[in-house]
Amino acid sequence: MEIKQLAASDSANSVRWEAFVLACPEATFFHRAAWQGILRNVFRHPTYFLYAEHDGEILGVLPLAHIKSRLFGNSLIALPFAVYGGVAASTTEAAAALEQEAQSLARQLDVDHLEFRNINPRHADWPTQDLYVTFRKEILPEVEANMLAIPRKQRAMVRKGINSGLISTVDRKSDRFFKLFADNVHRHGTPALPKRYFDTLLEVFGDDCEILTITSPDGKPLSSVLSFYFRDEVLPYYAGDDEAARNFAANDFKYWELMRRSCERGLKIFDYGRSKVGTGPYSFKKNWGFEPQGLHYEYCLYKRDSIPQNNPNNAKYKLLIETWRRMPISLANLIGPHIVRNLG
């Protein structure tokens, strides 16, 4: 067993890495090799994409990135800006070897902690973050069956959007999406990711990354979502809504349109993604008939005695969030990328 590091310019081994990820049941969209270039080029974070090899065969992968910030700490994460991460391996030996190498690397980099964003638990003795859950559900073969599977009250909201004459369009550029996204996060008091990031996602992942935008009958953009496609799954990942979207039930219509289109494409799983327990998005997804599934974010602590809480629920960020809401959005979009790059 050898543990090797994928070079960003190594196209041949990137192809091998991608083939392993597509075939490995433990792997997710966020294990794909292309994230290395995105994290380096957009956010300027050093990356360490490790893979385990035996007799010329890849048996496991572990994508890692190093984030060092005075404000948010020094960490090695699998993987920043991803809801899923950690090791994806076909053997327990490969998984153990990759994790051992990650811990060795963490000590070399002198980080405060190592973080694995696991779907399933791996280390019962490590501190675990239980703040997040994910929501995944089967897409039924028939469009109408998916409509009827939505609980009655939520289904009424979807029908309201349909009856409002809303229109769904696939956008090839991020302009309309970014305006809605940036405005949405600004109202919540958090910095927006840079537009360049979304442009890069569309360019790098091609047909596996798509923006669906909802407009009113007169063409006003109301709601938009950027989704990833992986194997037979659709993952709505980033979204934004205009304040007027609620009047049209545009947000509800948006996710129904994505589900309908995904059904017609023959996809099998709708991954509604991560939410914090007890929040509005958590309740919204439950209203669609999705059940929460716990995520097991595990931490190996080196220079700290507790799990970091770099999220809006942390009381120490309350004043910052209120200040950010009052900031002109043009200034927020200018400053935001320099802050959010270190949140991961």
Side-chain angles (χ1 to χ4, degrees):
M1 184 80 65
E2 292 183 89
I3 302 300
K4 299 181 178 180
Q5 190 174 143
L6 181 68
S9 59
D10 188 347
S11 57
N13 278 323
S14 292
V15 170
R16 295 176 61 228
W17 177 299
E18 285 285 281
F20 173 82
V21 166
L22 285 172
C24 178
E26 289 188 344
T28 71
F29 185 84
F30 305 100
H31 287 88
R32 294 189 60 177
W35 285 105
Q36 178 162 224
I38 293 167
L39 290 169
R40 287 188 174 193
N41 298 332
V42 177
F43 299 110
R44 305 187 306 281
H45 294 311
T47 56
Y48 304 87
F49 275 43
L50 308 178
Y51 62 97
E53 186 178 78
H54 180 68
D55 287 342
E57 180 183 0
I58 293 179
L59 299 178
V61 298
L62 175 56
L64 294 155
H66 181 201
I67 297 183
K68 189 173 183 180
S69 162
R70 290 182 180 180
L71 186 59
F72 302 112
N74 185 5
S75 57
L76 186 63
I77 307 173
L79 191 66
F81 304 99
V83 296
Y84 311 134
V87 168
S90 56
T91 70
T92 55
E93 294 80 7
L98 285 164
E99 290 190 345
Q100 183 177 356
E101 181 67 17
Q103 291 182 66
S104 176
L105 179 61
R107 288 188 288 268
Q108 291 175 34
L109 295 171
D110 197 29
V111 299
D112 300 334
H113 70 273
L114 170 66
E115 176 184 351
F116 293 150
R117 297 183 176 177
N118 300 330
I119 296 177
N120 300 309
R122 294 187 59 87
H123 298 278
D125 57 331
W126 285 18
T128 303
Q129 176 80 277
D130 59 1
L131 180 65
Y132 299 106
V133 296
T134 191
F135 293 83
R136 291 165 55 84
K137 190 176 180 182
E138 179 187 6
I139 300 173
L140 300 173
E142 302 296 329
V143 170
E144 186 59 22
N146 287 288
M147 173 67 82
L148 295 176
I150 303 171
R152 182 176 56 83
K153 289 185 178 180
Q154 188 61 48
R155 189 164 67 244
M157 295 299 293
V158 172
R159 296 211 183 273
K160 177 181 177 180
I162 294 172
N163 294 334
S164 296
L166 300 181
I167 300 166
S168 66
T169 307
V170 172
D171 286 352
R172 301 302 177 186
K173 295 183 179 180
S174 71
D175 297 16
R176 296 198 299 179
F177 163 82
F178 182 75
K179 185 175 181 180
L180 291 165
F181 171 81
D183 181 64
N184 206 155
V185 297
H186 182 251
R187 294 198 307 270
H188 286 86
T190 55
L193 291 154
K195 185 175 182 297
R196 181 187 171 210
Y197 171 58
F198 301 111
D199 291 336
T200 302
L201 292 176
L202 290 169
E203 178 184 354
V204 170
F205 289 119
D207 291 339
D208 293 335
C209 180
E210 185 180 87
I211 290 173
L212 184 70
T213 299
I214 305 302
T215 59
S216 63
D218 62 1
K220 176 181 172 60
L222 295 173
S223 190
S224 190
V225 59
L226 183 149
S227 302
F228 297 130
Y229 294 90
F230 181 69
R231 293 193 287 238
D232 59 355
E233 303 178 11
V234 57
L235 299 82
Y237 201 66
Y238 295 108
D241 304 288
D242 187 83
E243 289 187 280
R246 182 183 297 270
N247 298 331
F248 293 87
N251 191 38
D252 309 88
F253 178 76
K254 172 182 67 184
Y255 288 114
W256 163 247
E257 275 295 279
L258 182 62
M259 186 178 290
R260 179 187 67 79
R261 288 168 176 259
S262 297
C263 174
E264 291 178 347
R265 288 173 61 162
L267 301 180
K268 305 299 183 185
I269 299 293
F270 194 93
D271 187 328
Y272 234 145
R274 184 182 81 177
S275 291
K276 299 182 188 72
V277 176
T279 62
Y282 174 94
S283 299
F284 178 79
K285 293 168 186 179
K286 285 209 69 174
N287 289 342
W288 276 74
F290 285 65
E291 288 301 320
Q293 303 170 33
L295 292 173
H296 301 271
Y297 289 8
E298 297 176 339
Y299 297 77
C300 187
L301 306 179
Y302 298 100
K303 301 173 68 176
R304 57 183 307 134
D305 56 11
S306 62
I307 294 174
Q309 297 295 333
N310 296 329
N311 64 79
N313 286 3
N314 191 330
K316 75 176 186 179
Y317 297 131
K318 184 177 180 181
L319 179 60
L320 180 61
I321 289 171
E322 291 303 319
T323 302
W324 200 269
R325 283 174 173 157
R326 294 192 295 270
M327 185 184 298
I329 191 169
S330 57
L331 180 60
N333 287 346
L334 183 65
I335 299 173
H338 300 287
I339 298 173
V340 76
R341 67 177 292 271
N342 293 316
L343 285 171

